[in-house]
Amino acid sequence: MMTDKVRIDSFGANSLNGNNETYLARQAEFESNVRSYPRKLPLAIAQANGVWITDVENNQYLDCLAGAGTLALGHNHPDVLQSIQNVITSGLPLHTLDLTTPLKDQFSEYLLSLLPGQGKEYCLQFTGPSGADAVEAALKLAKKVTGRAGIISFSGGYHGMTHGALSVTGNLSPKEAVDGMMPEVQFMPYPHQYRCPLGIGGEAGVKALTYYFENLINDVESGVRKPAAVILEAVQGEGGVNPAPAEWLQRIRKVTKEHGIMLIIDEVQAGFCRTGKLFAYEHAGIEPDIIVMSKAVGGGLPLAVLGIKKEFDAWSPGHHTGTFRGNQLAMATGLTTLKHLTENKIADKVAAQGEWLKGQLANLQKRYPVIGQVRGLGLMIGIEIVKPNEAQDHMGCYPSDPELSALLQKNCFKAGLILERGGRNGCVLRLLPSLLITNDELAIFLDKFEQALLASGIKPV
């Protein structure tokens, strides 16, 4: 029976009774076994502001997850909250299917202006409000445009959990009990700064992977039919924060264009200043045929949008729909967020902070060799945890240590720091904080992270 209650007429901290354990037990009673974050981050959130979260026991945490990158401006940014209030008091409908409003018009115009060439060659498609649904739409459109069925994706890639999106996702675990994945999906190796999939490493490894991709497309005996599209992340997020080398991306763009293969870039996590540029693909100076956008584009509320080259807008009316593609609140918070990011040159700030933070983490690496590599762009950073007392492979890489990575995440949480894990076997600790995080708050992160290292029994050298 209900012993600890939350008043539905007020959600302030004073209305929350009980402790984290109570709420987590009730969540386990109410929800499916599919829940994941509460198993790693056992708290019930009472309040949040900026990069800080307070739980129902009044413990504070520095949040370096930020809704998996959704909260670009952090929790409860005053401009975002005001934009919600403005819609609520304006008389606008909250839900419009794909009917337009003055707000949607403003949002669309501004978002388009951020795409290559100020969006003159692009149009927008509002899909269901998740990145996965946007990926589904992109895959369907590519097949419709080209008349072909195949898709090339990459090991380590993450594109969502719906049927088509899961089919082009590298992670095998969620596929184990799902028969009948989408056919004609060909996976290829993705460059990895620390663990080259070809066992070569360095510039030679990147060149070999580039040649491998081009040869597969050109080889009439490859066994792989020409695909409708190539889908990739310019920086793999869930796959362990792996930035694609610029020359590799540029070659993929050249080859796909030459062969009439559509290039879909998934910017769901890396987009909107996260990597120190507005979009991660900009680091390579390329233009995708389809850009998949979600997370930060809605300013913290559910929204997903495709940017489609107009020449490939082959849809017939209603051939990909979604009831909640007209979320006016998300367009308001999204417009506010995009304007704040661009008008305040947040990408430049993020790029500078990312370089500084990687330098500080590299200094930590010298004292704590369990840090195998620090990589990433902007405020999308990965810390690979390894076993430095075991033998290196022929490329000089130590074996990964997923058990220590999990322990570090646990001890980070105890120190008041929220981090996610990713990469093969979860051996990479990932940073995705608010893009408005201050230098002082980054220093707090470094302090808390070192506390976690020491609490995990790791002694500095």
Side-chain angles (χ1 to χ4, degrees):
M1 300 299 292
M2 294 183 66
T3 55
D4 296 303
K5 298 181 180 180
V6 179
R7 292 203 313 270
I8 62 171
D9 60 334
S10 172
F11 293 100
N14 293 335
S15 69
L16 296 169
N17 303 312
N19 53 35
N20 289 320
E21 186 177 351
T22 298
Y23 280 106
L24 290 165
R26 288 169 58 75
Q27 184 180 19
E29 179 184 349
F30 298 151
E31 295 184 29
S32 160
N33 287 329
V34 78
R35 67 193 186 283
S36 60
Y37 284 111
R39 302 179 192 277
K40 299 174 284 187
L41 306 170
L43 81 165
I45 299 171
Q47 290 183 325
N49 183 55
V51 297
W52 295 99
I53 285 175
T54 304
D55 70 13
V56 294
E57 297 175 9
N58 210 35
N59 301 307
Q60 277 203 324
Y61 302 87
L62 179 64
D63 181 13
C64 288
L65 177 57
T70 298
L71 299 165
L73 304 187
H75 294 278
N76 292 324
H77 189 280
D79 291 349
V80 171
L81 295 182
Q82 186 59 54
S83 69
I84 294 173
Q85 292 292 335
N86 291 345
V87 172
I88 291 172
T89 59
S90 70
L92 276 171
L94 300 183
H95 173 243
T96 66
L97 298 172
D98 63 353
L99 297 169
T100 196
T101 68
L103 172 57
K104 183 177 183 179
D105 185 88
Q106 292 176 49
F107 175 80
S108 299
E109 181 180 40
Y110 199 84
L111 179 57
L112 270 175
S113 75
L114 303 179
L115 303 188
Q118 296 186 308
K120 291 181 174 60
E121 296 181 8
Y122 287 81
C123 62
L124 302 178
Q125 178 184 355
F126 291 86
T127 67
S130 72
D133 190 65
V135 167
E136 297 283 349
L139 297 175
K140 286 163 58 178
L141 180 58
K143 294 179 179 184
K144 188 174 180 69
V145 168
T146 63
R148 299 190 291 270
I151 304 291
I152 289 179
S153 190
F154 292 89
S155 56
Y158 180 87
H159 301 288
M161 287 288 162
T162 52
H163 191 77
L166 181 59
S167 297
V168 296
T169 288
N171 193 323
L172 293 176
S173 179
K175 298 181 179 183
E176 287 178 355
V178 182
D179 290 333
M181 288 279 96
M182 186 174 71
E184 289 201 62
V185 176
Q186 174 70 38
F187 280 89
M188 297 197 67
Y190 187 98
H192 196 297
Q193 292 180 358
Y194 192 61
R195 302 186 187 280
C196 174
L198 298 183
I200 300 171
E203 186 178 342
V206 174
K207 287 183 176 179
L209 286 165
T210 305
Y211 174 80
Y212 183 28
F213 175 83
E214 188 167 4
N215 185 66
L216 181 91
I217 300 300
N218 287 321
D219 185 3
V220 296
E221 295 283 344
S222 70
V224 178
R225 297 199 299 172
K226 183 186 291 188
V230 169
I231 185 168
L232 60 85
E233 300 160 274
V235 180
Q236 289 187 336
E238 306 295 327
V241 193
N242 299 314
E247 59 270 31
W248 180 80
L249 272 180
Q250 290 162 357
R251 197 65 181 175
I252 284 180
R253 173 67 287 192
K254 182 176 184 296
V255 171
T256 52
K257 187 171 288 188
E258 288 174 349
H259 289 267
I261 301 167
M262 296 187 67
L263 179 60
I264 304 168
I265 302 288
D266 183 337
E267 290 278 346
V268 169
Q269 190 169 105
F272 302 104
C273 302
R274 171 63 55 187
T275 66
K277 288 189 180 292
L278 190 65
F279 293 105
Y281 65 76
E282 292 180 2
H283 291 279
I286 63 172
E287 289 189 10
D289 298 315
I290 301 179
I291 306 163
V292 185
M293 298 169 278
S294 189
K295 293 190 186 293
V297 77
L301 295 181
L303 191 68
V305 191
L306 295 181
I308 304 167
K309 280 279 185 77
K310 289 179 181 177
E311 63 186 290
F312 302 124
D313 182 23
W315 288 117
S316 298
H319 279 201
H320 189 92
T321 63
T323 299
F324 295 103
R325 65 195 186 277
N327 187 339
Q328 298 297 292
L329 284 177
M331 292 178 196
T333 53
L335 179 60
T336 296
T337 297
L338 297 183
K339 284 187 173 181
H340 189 98
L341 293 173
T342 55
E343 292 172 1
N344 292 283
K345 299 185 179 351
I346 299 301
D348 294 339
K349 166 195 173 292
V350 165
Q353 285 182 311
E355 288 306 304
W356 177 84
L357 185 55
K358 284 192 293 183
Q360 296 301 307
L361 287 168
N363 290 334
L364 269 185
Q365 182 181 13
K366 294 173 184 176
R367 293 189 287 123
Y368 298 94
V370 295
I371 300 175
Q373 190 188 43
V374 176
R375 57 179 179 263
L377 294 170
L379 290 175
M380 189 174 183
I381 293 176
I383 305 166
E384 182 149 348
I385 304 302
V386 300
K387 300 176 181 178
N389 296 323
E390 297 190 8
Q392 294 172 298
D393 65 17
H394 68 282
M395 294 184 293
C397 303
Y398 289 107
S400 63
D401 195 339
E403 292 81 11
L404 179 56
S405 176
L407 179 61
L408 279 168
Q409 184 187 41
K410 182 178 180 179
N411 284 326
C412 280
F413 182 76
K414 289 180 178 178
L417 176 61
I418 291 176
L419 291 176
E420 176 58 309
R421 297 163 61 213
R424 271 73 172 177
N425 302 309
C427 65
V428 179
L429 296 168
R430 301 169 53 220
L431 279 72
L432 289 167
S434 160
L435 303 183
L436 301 189
I437 193 170
T438 66
N439 292 341
D440 287 344
E441 288 163 339
L442 288 176
I444 293 171
F445 156 75
L446 289 166
D447 180 63
K448 289 181 180 293
F449 184 61
E450 187 164 13
Q451 287 179 41
L453 288 165
L454 294 169
S456 301
I458 303 164
K459 296 180 180 179
V461 297

